[in-house]
Amino acid sequence: MFTGIVEELGEIVAKEDLTDAARFTVRGPLVTSDASHGDSIAVNGVCLTVVDVLDGDSFTADVMAETLNRSSLGALEVGSRVNLERAAALNSRLGGHLVQGHVDATGEIVSRSPSENWEVVRISLPASISRYVVEKGSITVDGVSLTVSALGSDENGEYFEISLIPTTLELTVLGKAAPGTPVNLEVDVIAKYVERLQTAGR
C-alpha cells in the first residue's frame, strides 16, 4: 500500500528484455537506502518487487508482460525518469490517499495550461474507469495522489483535469510530461468496493 506522495525522481539505468517480461534497474538512492529483496516500491504508480539492491543506490525489478502491456512501463527506456515511492509504514502520516499500486488503465496527456502559480493538465479518461472518477475526488496519476479539478468530454472522448502546484511540477515526472505522453491511472479503491457491494447479489 502507498500514499501517492512521491519520494524522489529516479532513473531507469538498465532494461533487459526477457521472453515474456523485462528486468529494470532503477536508480533511486533514497528509496533504495533501506530496501531489501522482496520489498515493494512503486515506479510511476506500479507496485514492483525488489529483486536485488545494487551499490546502495539502485534496485532491480522484474515486470511481467501483463504489466508492460497494461501500464506505461512498457514505454520506459534507459534514461527515463520515474516517480518512486516506498510502501507506506502504518505509523506514518497518510499525506495522499490509499494507493494500491495496481494500474486500472492508462490515459494520455491531452494539454497543459500554465498559469502564474500552477498548471492545469488535461488527461484523457478511459470509459472503463470513468464512473469511478468524480470532481474533487482522488486519483493517482503515475503514482502521484491528485485531486480531480474538473471533468468533461469533447469530440475525442471524456477527460479529467488536475491542477499541479510548483512542487509537483518540480519533483515528479508530471512536470515535463508533454501532450501525448501515456500515464498510469489508478482510481480510488473505495469507489470500486462501493460499486461491488451495491451490485452483489443482483
Side-chain angles (χ1 to χ4, degrees):
M1 192 68 71
F2 305 90
T3 68
I5 304 300
V6 172
E7 294 188 274
E8 72 175 321
L9 268 173
E11 181 183 358
I12 303 298
V13 294
K15 178 182 178 182
E16 180 183 0
D17 292 315
L18 307 174
T19 304
D20 57 354
R23 173 165 289 189
F24 289 98
T25 302
V26 185
R27 178 179 293 122
L30 176 61
V31 300
T32 309
S33 62
D34 59 355
S36 58
H37 174 78
D39 285 350
S40 295
I41 295 177
V43 178
N44 278 1
V46 181
C47 178
L48 298 182
T49 301
V50 174
V51 176
D52 290 308
V53 176
L54 309 173
D55 301 324
D57 70 348
S58 303
F59 67 93
T60 63
D62 292 330
V63 184
M64 59 184 173
E66 174 78 2
T67 303
L68 294 171
N69 294 334
R70 295 175 67 93
S71 75
S72 66
L73 295 192
L76 295 178
E77 299 293 345
V78 173
S80 295
R81 303 303 300 273
V82 288
N83 294 326
L84 300 176
E85 181 192 354
R86 289 169 289 190
L90 292 178
N91 64 347
S92 64
R93 292 184 177 90
L94 180 60
H97 71 283
L98 295 178
V99 176
Q100 294 182 296
H102 303 161
V103 173
D104 292 302
T106 56
E108 188 175 283
I109 303 290
V110 175
S111 64
R112 307 183 68 105
S113 303
S115 66
E116 183 177 355
N117 296 305
W118 66 83
E119 188 164 344
V120 176
V121 178
R122 180 172 292 183
I123 300 172
S124 63
L125 180 58
S128 62
I129 63 169
S130 63
R131 64 189 182 278
Y132 303 119
V133 181
V134 297
E135 191 171 340
K136 307 305 179 187
S138 296
I139 191 167
T140 308
V141 181
D142 270 353
V144 185
S145 173
L146 295 163
T147 300
V148 176
S149 58
L151 288 167
S153 62
D154 55 23
E155 66 276 8
N156 297 314
E158 294 184 87
Y159 63 81
F160 69 95
E161 292 179 346
I162 51 177
S163 299
L164 304 182
I165 61 174
T167 298
T168 306
L169 292 169
E170 179 183 356
L171 300 179
T172 77
V173 296
L174 296 180
K176 298 186 181 301
T181 301
V183 289
N184 294 320
L185 304 176
E186 181 185 331
V187 300
D188 192 338
V189 67
I190 295 174
K192 294 189 286 184
Y193 279 122
V194 169
E195 180 185 61
R196 178 63 175 166
L197 288 169
Q198 289 180 330
T199 58
R202 290 185 181 177

